[in-house]
Amino acid sequence: MAEVRQGVDALDRALVALLAERQGYMEAAARIKPSRDVVHDQARIDDVVAKVLSAAREAGLSPDIAEPVWRLLIDRCIAHEFATWDRVRD
């Protein structure tokens, strides 16, 4: 069990690093987007989720894990992007 937990902990650290990198892209998007109205883009959300579900199938990740995790991730990233958009324009 200790080895399993060590593996999970190592993956969690790697995921944190990847999520921090993703956050950086959201911050870049907030600086680039010309209007606050384009921060939430439903077509892009749908595209991201579709791509994630395809990748999940290929990797053997359950869609019951992948879809809700990414939808929450996207929701929180959009909220962060809104906050960043507001901050860089104040």
Side-chain angles (χ1 to χ4, degrees):
M1 192 66 209
E3 287 180 22
V4 170
R5 288 181 177 160
Q6 287 175 347
V8 169
D9 291 347
L11 286 171
D12 285 346
R13 287 189 298 276
L15 287 168
V16 166
L18 289 170
L19 291 171
E21 184 176 350
R22 191 181 203 283
Q23 177 182 300
Y25 284 108
M26 298 303 96
E27 291 165 356
R31 290 189 300 272
I32 293 166
K33 290 181 180 175
S35 165
R36 197 174 196 277
D37 296 338
V38 297
V39 171
H40 184 275
D41 181 347
Q42 190 60 49
R44 175 65 178 148
I45 293 167
D46 296 341
D47 181 55
V48 169
V49 171
K51 289 175 183 174
V52 163
L53 289 174
S54 177
R57 274 190 300 279
E58 292 175 18
L61 175 62
S62 168
D64 292 337
I65 294 172
E67 186 167 0
V69 167
W70 257 268
R71 288 198 182 275
L72 179 59
L73 175 61
I74 291 166
D75 179 69
R76 297 294 74 221
C77 284
I78 289 169
H80 183 75
E81 190 176 334
F82 272 123
T84 302
W85 198 96
D86 291 343
R87 188 181 73 251
V88 299
R89 284 165 179 77
D90 280 345

